[in-house]
């Protein structure tokens, strides 16, 4: 267990660049360098550079590793060939989401996985407990020795080609070992990210991270981006945030403004079809099937009146009057830079349909009329 706040290998750069540093789940990370809005729009129009080294990295190995991973998660790994990436949920035996994860199939007998930062220890223990007793599959936690740099945006491919060479330009949800390059950088690169834009996530040793960051940051089309814009970018695409849009009930975390257990959710409730494959058996499947079709799901909501932006924990009502029914709570929310700072939100609603109106209690005095929407907002 770590003592005190953790600094990534790029901490000194963030400080010298004038970043606003915050405590993010035990890591000292930049919330912004210039402004959230400016960094957000730069990512959408050109390319944003992110230090996401707080995320974890697992290496799963064994001849039957893909079959085993299929048995413990909602994705069917046997459908993914080497060089492909995917997204999955891990459920407990009651069908509740423990965590979500991006994975990359590096070979027939090896898969790399990226657990969320706050869940590294929990997921490592959970998955270790599910390992075959014969030792045919192993897990290695590479998190502490690995830095992760994300480059996201429409010009990310051009930047990678000019900095690391054309052979290291990968397609969406494709992956590979980093090919030889002038910087001498080695590691892993995959066409994944958390912004909805084209881009890559690059996994290198902590020692090589400053070299790569400096080279990517020096490119005129690249802008360093903090956690603030990372959050607004993912909200515009409706991407889930572990611990905010769902939370495993095995974790004792107080979610301000939300009833106890409100974030204990199944995959079907989060409305993430691309991470769910029902063609195979997996832990929690029976409980998940029982929960499907009950009418509660995560919806997007877009404010159609001006006023304070929705924030996590805000109540959602069926109407503007004091006697209106409380129908849900905002799990993620804030202003959308791509939509002229219009307020957007994610929240669980029961028996609602796209196009219906709800009212978000965005302050003690204001309820903001909002329209239920499918995500992404863009």
């Amino acid at each position: 267990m770590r003592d005190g706040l953790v600094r990534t290998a790029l901490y000194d750069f963030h400080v010298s660049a004038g970043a606003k540093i915050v405590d993010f789940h035990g890591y000292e990370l930049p919330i912004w360098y210039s402004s959230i809005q400016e960094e957000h729009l730069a990512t959408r129009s050109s390319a944003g550079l992110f230090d996401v080294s707080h995320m974890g990295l697992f290496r799963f190995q064994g001849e039957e590793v893909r079959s085993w991973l299929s048995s413990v998660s909602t994705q069917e790994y046997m459908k993914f060939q080497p060089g492909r990436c995917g997204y999955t949920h891990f459920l407990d035996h009651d069908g509740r989401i423990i965590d979500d994860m991006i994975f990359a199939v590096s070979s027939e007998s090896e898969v790399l996985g990226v657990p969320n930062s706050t869940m590294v220890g929990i997921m490592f223990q959970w998955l270790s407990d599910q390992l075959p007793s014969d030792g045919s599959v192993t897990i290695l936690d590479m998190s502490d020795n690995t830095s992760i740099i994300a480059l996201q945006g429409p010009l990310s491919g051009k930047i990678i080609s000019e900095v690391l060479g054309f052979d290291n330009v990968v397609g969406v949800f494709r992956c590979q070992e980093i090919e030889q390059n002038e910087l001498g950088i080695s590691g892993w690169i995959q066409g994944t990210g958390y912004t909805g834009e084209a881009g890559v996530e690059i996994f290198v040793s902590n020692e090589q991270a400053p070299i790569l960051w400096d080279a990517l940051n020096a490119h005129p089309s690249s802008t360093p981006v903090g956690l603030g814009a990372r959050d607004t970018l993912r909200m515009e695409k409706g991407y889930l945030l572990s611990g905010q849009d769902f939370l495993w009930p095995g974790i004792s975390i107080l979610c301000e403004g939300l009833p106890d257990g409100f974030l204990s959710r199944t995959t079907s409730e989060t409305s993430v079809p691309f991470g769910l494959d029902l063609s195979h058996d997996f832990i929690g499947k029976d409980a998940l099937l029982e929960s499907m079709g009950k009418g509660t799901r995560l919806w997007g909501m877009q404010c159609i009146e001006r006023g304070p932006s929705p924030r996590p924990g805000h109540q959602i009502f069926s109407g503007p009057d004091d006697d209106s029914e409380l129908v849900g709570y905002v799990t993620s929310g804030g202003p959308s830079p791509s939509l002229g700072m219009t307020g957007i939100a994610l929240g669980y609603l029961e028996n609602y349909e796209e196009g219906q109106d709800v009212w978000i209690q965005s302050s003690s005095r204001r309820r903001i009329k909002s329209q239920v929407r499918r995500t992404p907002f863009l």
Side-chain angles (χ1 to χ4, degrees):
M1 181 175 291
R2 301 183 177 105
D3 294 323
L5 294 177
V6 179
R7 294 177 175 177
T8 73
L10 300 171
Y11 174 82
D12 289 341
F13 170 83
H14 304 319
V15 173
S16 65
K20 170 66 174 178
I21 304 293
V22 298
D23 175 358
F24 183 75
H25 299 297
Y27 283 82
E28 290 188 278
L29 290 169
I31 191 74
W32 47 257
Y33 298 87
S34 54
S35 74
I36 292 174
Q37 184 175 10
E38 182 178 324
E39 293 163 22
H40 178 115
L41 295 175
T43 304
R44 290 275 184 247
S45 63
S46 53
L49 185 63
F50 304 74
D51 177 9
V52 291
S53 303
H54 59 293
M55 302 292 286
L57 180 63
F58 293 163
R59 183 184 298 248
F60 305 94
Q61 292 180 308
E63 292 302 318
E64 303 298 324
V65 66
R66 286 189 294 159
S67 176
W68 173 76
L69 280 166
S70 297
S71 73
V72 297
S73 72
T74 60
Q75 192 59 271
E76 174 52 278
Y77 288 72
M78 300 305 293
K79 295 181 179 180
F80 290 79
Q81 297 302 311
R84 299 297 299 269
C85 301
Y87 172 80
T88 193
H89 287 174
F90 293 93
L91 310 181
D92 64 16
H93 294 281
D94 295 321
R96 301 296 175 174
I97 303 171
I98 305 173
D99 198 21
D100 60 356
M101 188 178 75
I102 293 288
F103 64 87
V105 180
S106 57
S107 72
E108 296 286 353
S109 59
E110 182 178 89
V111 176
L112 300 177
V114 185
N116 289 290
S117 59
T118 59
M119 297 298 292
V120 171
I122 293 170
M123 283 306 303
F124 187 81
Q125 185 61 57
W126 169 265
L127 292 169
S128 295
D129 290 344
Q130 315 308 319
L131 287 173
S133 59
D134 62 3
S136 58
V137 177
T138 60
I139 308 173
L140 177 64
D141 183 359
M142 305 170 63
S143 306
D144 287 346
N145 299 319
T146 304
S147 290
I148 310 175
I149 295 173
L151 184 69
Q152 302 281 293
L155 298 184
S156 58
K158 177 178 183 292
I159 297 171
I160 292 297
S161 179
E162 294 177 3
V163 173
L164 289 178
F166 181 76
D167 290 342
N168 287 306
V169 178
V170 294
V172 177
F173 273 63
R174 300 279 182 171
C175 53
Q176 66 178 49
E177 295 279 353
I178 296 175
E179 299 285 354
Q180 185 175 357
N181 54 85
E182 293 182 358
L183 294 177
I185 296 294
S186 59
W188 184 256
I189 187 168
Q190 57 191 47
T192 57
Y194 201 41
T195 65
E197 298 292 337
V200 294
E201 292 174 310
I202 310 171
F203 302 77
V204 297
S205 68
N206 293 334
E207 292 73 25
Q208 288 192 331
I211 300 171
L212 178 59
W213 181 277
D214 285 344
L216 293 172
N217 185 60
H219 195 283
S221 297
S222 175
T223 298
V225 180
L227 293 169
R230 187 170 186 260
D231 196 46
T232 56
L233 288 159
R234 69 93 188 169
M235 276 196 297
E236 288 183 347
K237 293 297 181 178
Y239 293 161
L240 301 176
L241 178 58
S242 177
Q244 188 162 308
D245 297 309
F246 66 87
L247 179 67
W248 186 42
I251 305 173
S252 298
I253 297 178
L254 179 64
C255 299
E256 186 175 352
L258 298 179
D260 289 345
F262 183 79
L263 293 180
S264 175
R265 297 294 173 175
T266 67
T267 299
S268 61
E269 288 175 310
T270 61
S271 309
V272 183
F274 51 84
L276 175 62
D277 187 328
L278 293 174
S279 67
H280 70 294
D281 290 328
F282 53 87
I283 292 175
K285 180 180 179 180
D286 290 342
L288 171 61
L289 290 174
E290 290 180 7
S291 73
M292 296 179 73
K294 292 189 176 180
T296 298
R297 58 159 286 175
L298 189 71
W299 282 101
M301 287 159 279
Q302 183 170 341
C303 296
I304 53 180
E305 294 179 343
R306 292 190 175 276
S309 294
R311 298 292 181 184
H314 283 172
Q315 296 176 321
I316 306 169
F317 290 89
S318 61
D321 302 323
D322 291 342
D323 59 353
S324 299
E325 181 185 1
L326 174 64
V327 295
Y329 295 85
V330 172
T331 58
S332 291
S336 165
S338 301
L339 298 174
M341 303 305 283
T342 295
I344 59 173
L346 302 176
Y348 292 97
L349 300 170
E350 184 175 359
N351 297 324
Y352 269 77
E353 298 293 337
E354 185 172 22
Q356 289 185 263
D357 292 334
V358 292
W359 278 257
I360 298 174
Q361 190 79 49
S362 57
S363 74
S364 60
R365 298 182 178 180
R366 288 290 306 276
R367 286 186 189 175
I368 305 300
K369 187 178 182 180
S370 307
Q371 189 173 72
V372 176
R373 287 196 48 182
R374 295 183 186 275
T375 57
F377 292 98
L378 301 182

